């Protein structure tokens, strides 16, 4: 009886387990369409995984204000406020380089 | 609203009945369609939650990418560089059923397959892409497409159109027809016109291209038209709706396209017909009278049938265009939301990005970008963000964007197919 109960519980845990701990913050999963998780020989778009969060935030702020020129990042950075940008930056900083 | 309703319904069901637990105690997700939306969804689901049982249903063993297929027409790429297999998905633990889905039973939560099998699901993801509204242009049917290719699903049609262009005499007239909105890849017809002109300029410099359009404005219009004037003066003539651009019938035997204003005889004709969601969407009851699929903007669950999520070209995504970039971005958001929903949690409010690059020549790229978030039941543009490349390019910007375009392509196919 205990066994049955335990395996019943196990299957529930399987379902409701800590699935969402690794949820990327809103917006981050779209960045990886251009910024590959690994350095790819075929891409000249800079690699940002494992970069310091504060550096990513600085880049995004300067792109947003136009202080740093960019082809596309200015148009993208304008879609994110400081708080959203910080969450995304922290997430990329925590990704393996 | 719809999300919340479905969400509540789901939690209640989960609390009362073992409906979401299969024999193995694993939640099951079936994905229909192994394109940019479906393949990304299947891979991401497995990556986020390895214990999920994920089955991808896709009849073709090899996927041929539409993005960059216009470069194949211009001889800048070969068709096999557009092709990707599903080994990466299999390696990631996705079960690939190489067959078509023939029927979805939303009540029983099952999918019938052409090979006779039936799959049950807890959640279904559909990313079946587009089908054509054959007959919307009188005379344009599947047989006519063998004479006047659409090349709007990449593969044999792309190769056929390229062969026709190569066989054409110098001085021949290429006629394209573009549909009204909405359709797959809003800047696609204009990128195609550009790259055909690029190729004609080198190999058939006496030829011209006539682009008949069923609308009066198009994506990145000023950038395209400025680029055409700069790169291909006098070669591309664009005819908008108001000047007789809408093609109403074709005659494949004589390669004639007839508009509301007159007829044009082509040496090579490329007809991009009006479109709708892939046929299985209507069968499943998730397409509305427009032919496309309404969804809520958080997990992209159908507003017509619960537990079915629709992605990519097939779905009505508010401000987001029908692009591979968008389908891939939506798939990642949907996968994260599904993991939460299957755990009885509420998905987070997403933000999505879209960027469509277009090539006007091998080393001349432009882009349009947007950032989107749920607003009043739709994905809406985040105000102040997005837009197109500047009209005046400084410091080799067009060349840089052409490089970024190909970088994006390599990155997105790696993320989608592994
Ligand atoms: C010429 C051209 C150029 C383009 N260029 C770009 C570009 O530069 N950038 C960009 O972002 N986008 C571009 N696009 C758009 C892009 O191709 C689409 O937006 C994208 O493919 C949509 O992804 P999807 O998953 O919705 O559909 P698809 O990628 O078409 O995938 C649908 C899949 O579903 C399968 N399927 C259909 N019905 C069933 C069924 N009943 N059972 C099982 N499987 C089924 C199909 O076989 C197919 O593999 C271009 C399109 C064209 C035509």
């Amino acid at each position: 009886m205990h066994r049955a109960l335990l395996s019943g519980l196990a299957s529930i845990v399987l379902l409701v387990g800590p699935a969402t701990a690794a949820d990327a913050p809103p917006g981050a999963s779209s960045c990886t369409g251009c910024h590959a998780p690994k350095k790819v020989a075929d891409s000249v778009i800079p690699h940002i995984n494992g970069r310091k969060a504060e550096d990513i935030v600085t880049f995004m702020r300067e792109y947003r204000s136009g202080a740093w020129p960019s082809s596309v990042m200015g148009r993208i950075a304008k879609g994110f406020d400081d708080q959203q940008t910080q969450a995304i930056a922290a997430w990329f900083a925590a990704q393996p380089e | 609203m719809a999300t919340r309703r479905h969400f509540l319904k789901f939690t209640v069901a989960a609390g009362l009945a073992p409906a979401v637990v299969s024999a193995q105690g694993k939640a099951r997700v079936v994905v229909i369609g192994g394109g940019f939306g479906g393949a990304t969804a299947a891979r991401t689901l497995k990556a986020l939650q390895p214990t999920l049982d994920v089955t991808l249903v896709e009849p073709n063993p090899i996927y041929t990418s539409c993005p960059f297929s216009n470069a194949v027409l211009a001889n800048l790429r070969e068709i096999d560089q557009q092709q990707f297999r599903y080994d990466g998905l299999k390696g990631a633990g996705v079960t690939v059923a190489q067959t078509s889905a023939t029927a979805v039973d939303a009540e029983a939560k099952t999918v019938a397959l052409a090979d006779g099998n039936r799959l049950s699901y807890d959640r279904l993801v559909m990313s079946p892409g587009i089908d054509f509204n054959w007959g919307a242009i009188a005379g344009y049917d599947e047989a006519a497409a063998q004479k006047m290719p659409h090349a709007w699903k990449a593969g044999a049609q792309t190769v056929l159109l390229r062969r026709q262009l190569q066989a054409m005499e110098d001085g021949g007239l290429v006629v394209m027809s573009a549909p009204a909105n909405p359709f797959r890849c809003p800047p696609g017809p204009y990128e195609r016109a550009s790259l055909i002109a690029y190729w004609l300029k080198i190999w058939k410099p006496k030829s011209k291209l006539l682009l008949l359009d069923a609308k009066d404005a198009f994506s990145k219009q000023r950038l395209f038209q400025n680029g055409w004037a700069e790169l291909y003066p006098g070669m591309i003539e664009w005819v908008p709706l108001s000047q007789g651009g809408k093609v109403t019938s074709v005659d494949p035997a004589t390669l004639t396209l007839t508009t509301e204003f007159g007829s044009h005889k082509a040496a090579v004709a490329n007809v991009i017909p009006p479109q709708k969601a892939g046929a299985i969407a209507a069968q499943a009851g998730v397409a509305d009278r427009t032919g496309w699929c309404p969804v809520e903007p958080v997990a992209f669950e159908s507003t017509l049938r619960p537990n079915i999520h629709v992605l990519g070209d097939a779905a009505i995504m508010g401000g987001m265009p029908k692009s591979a970039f968008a389908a891939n971005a939506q798939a990642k958001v949907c996968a994260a939301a599904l993991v939460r929903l299957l755990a009885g949690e509420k998905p987070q409010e997403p933000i999505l990005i879209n960027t469509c690059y277009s090539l006007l020549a091998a080393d001349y790229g432009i882009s349009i970008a947007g950032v989107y978030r749920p607003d009043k039941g739709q994905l809406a543009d985040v105000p102040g963000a997005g837009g197109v490349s500047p009209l005046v390019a400084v410091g080799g910007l067009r060349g840089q964007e052409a490089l970024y375009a190909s970088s994006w392509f390599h990155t997105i196919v790696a993320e989608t197919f592994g």
Side-chain angles (χ1 to χ4, degrees):
Chain A
M1 219 173 96
H2 271 80
R3 288 263 296 281
L5 184 65
L6 275 178
S7 76
L9 276 177
S11 70
I12 290 168
V13 171
L14 245 179
L15 266 166
V16 300
T20 58
D23 256 19
S29 67
S30 284
C31 311
T32 62
C34 288
H35 294 283
K38 293 196 204 96
K39 288 202 176 93
V40 219
D42 290 321
S43 177
V44 297
I45 297 177
H47 179 73
I48 61 172
N49 274 20
R51 294 284 290 274
K52 273 201 264 168
E54 59 204 72
D55 291 352
I56 297 177
V57 168
T58 307
F59 269 113
M60 293 290 279
R61 280 209 188 113
E62 305 283 305
Y63 285 141
R64 201 199 304 158
S65 73
W68 285 348
S70 68
S71 64
V72 72
M73 281 310 299
R75 289 178 267 157
I76 289 172
K78 286 190 183 109
F80 298 89
D81 64 23
D82 275 339
Q83 209 186 336
Q84 292 162 337
T85 303
Q86 265 155 15
I88 294 172
W91 186 81
F92 274 106
Q95 300 307 304
E97 214 173 313
Chain B
M1 272 289 275
T3 333
R4 206 206 260 146
R5 203 184 65 230
H6 289 150
F7 172 73
L8 284 178
K9 204 160 129 193
F10 179 85
T11 17
V12 170
L16 294 178
V20 295
V21 188
S22 72
Q24 305 84 35
K26 280 183 173 184
R28 291 152 309 176
V29 179
V30 173
V31 180
I32 298 177
F36 283 99
T40 304
R43 268 194 97 212
T44 311
L45 279 164
K46 261 325 233 190
L48 291 176
Q49 182 54 288
T51 60
L52 274 182
D53 184 338
V54 180
T55 303
L56 175 70
V57 183
E58 165 62 54
N60 301 308
I62 295 175
Y63 179 79
T64 307
S65 162
C66 287
F68 274 75
S69 68
N70 287 329
V72 174
L73 298 176
N75 241 344
L76 293 166
R77 290 171 69 79
E78 292 307 316
I79 195 77
D80 59 2
Q81 293 174 279
Q82 297 294 111
Q83 295 182 324
F84 304 93
R85 298 180 162 274
Y86 295 97
D87 301 335
L89 278 98
K90 291 175 193 161
V94 174
T95 305
V96 179
Q98 198 198 309
T99 182
S100 303
T102 52
V104 173
D105 184 334
E107 288 291 315
K109 298 214 240 170
T110 58
V111 180
L113 305 180
D115 67 8
N117 286 318
R118 186 178 293 271
L119 302 171
S120 16
Y121 62 82
D122 298 307
R123 294 269 168 173
L124 176 64
V125 177
M126 299 184 69
S127 193
I130 57 158
D131 267 312
F132 300 113
N133 284 326
W134 300 112
I137 296 175
Y140 197 71
D141 55 15
E142 279 163 287
Q146 295 307 311
K147 296 269 198 284
M148 308 169 103
H150 52 77
W152 219 241
K153 291 187 182 185
Q157 279 275 309
T158 316
V159 173
L160 176 63
L161 181 55
R162 173 159 112 170
R163 227 187 295 124
Q164 291 184 350
L165 287 166
Q166 290 179 345
M168 185 182 76
E169 274 181 37
D170 188 9
L173 178 69
V174 180
V175 183
M176 287 180 64
S177 105
N181 295 322
F183 66 101
R184 158 176 285 180
C185 196
Y190 315 95
E191 176 187 70
R192 175 171 291 174
S194 308
L195 290 182
I196 290 177
Y198 170 85
W199 182 82
L200 291 175
K201 192 177 169 182
I202 301 169
W203 298 100
K204 324 250 169 182
K206 290 185 220 138
S207 286
K208 285 196 161 56
L209 187 147
L210 183 66
L211 175 42
L212 303 170
D213 209 328
K215 53 194 170 304
D216 277 321
F218 61 87
S219 176
K220 296 180 262 194
Q221 181 166 348
R222 288 189 63 196
L223 284 163
F224 274 114
Q225 290 182 318
N226 288 0
W228 294 343
E230 182 186 334
L231 301 167
Y232 317 114
M235 281 186 78
I236 299 176
E237 186 190 347
W238 176 65
V239 184
L241 172 69
S242 56
Q243 286 165 41
K246 185 177 177 188
V247 173
T248 51
S249 70
V250 296
D251 178 11
T254 57
L255 298 188
T256 304
L257 298 91
T258 302
T259 70
E260 288 164 338
F261 287 34
S263 286
H264 305 272
K265 198 171 162 0
V268 171
N270 168 216
V271 176
I272 305 168
Q275 300 152 29
K276 60 183 176 191
I280 189 70
Q283 193 290 324
V286 294
D288 69 13
R289 265 182 294 171
T290 65
W292 306 101
C293 307
V295 295
E296 48 77 19
V298 173
F300 314 127
E301 186 171 7
S302 168
T303 56
L304 302 177
R305 294 279 184 280
N307 304 307
I308 302 181
H309 300 250
V310 189
L311 306 175
D313 289 358
I316 301 169
M317 286 287 179
M320 263 190 130
K322 300 188 187 304
S323 74
F325 192 113
N328 167 274
Q330 290 153 11
K332 289 178 278 187
V333 164
C334 180
L338 280 179
V339 169
R340 285 208 178 205
L341 286 167
L342 289 166
E345 293 172 21
K346 196 171 162 6
Q348 67 177 346
E349 289 265 306
I351 303 177
L352 294 97
I353 301 171
N354 177 65
T355 305
C356 289
Y357 287 105
S358 301
L359 295 179
L360 279 75
D363 57 354
Y364 189 120
I366 59 174
S367 61
I368 181 165
V371 184
Y372 307 87
R373 54 159 171 54
D375 186 32
K376 303 187 188 77
Q378 290 249 9
L379 281 181
D381 279 89
V382 173
V388 298
S389 309
L391 277 175
V392 178
V394 289
L397 179 66
R398 305 286 191 234
Q400 235 178 349
E401 287 219 281
L403 269 178
Y404 289 145
S406 94
S407 299
W408 163 76
F409 182 70
H410 286 291
T411 302
I412 206 99
V413 296
E415 187 173 50
T416 303
F417 299 102

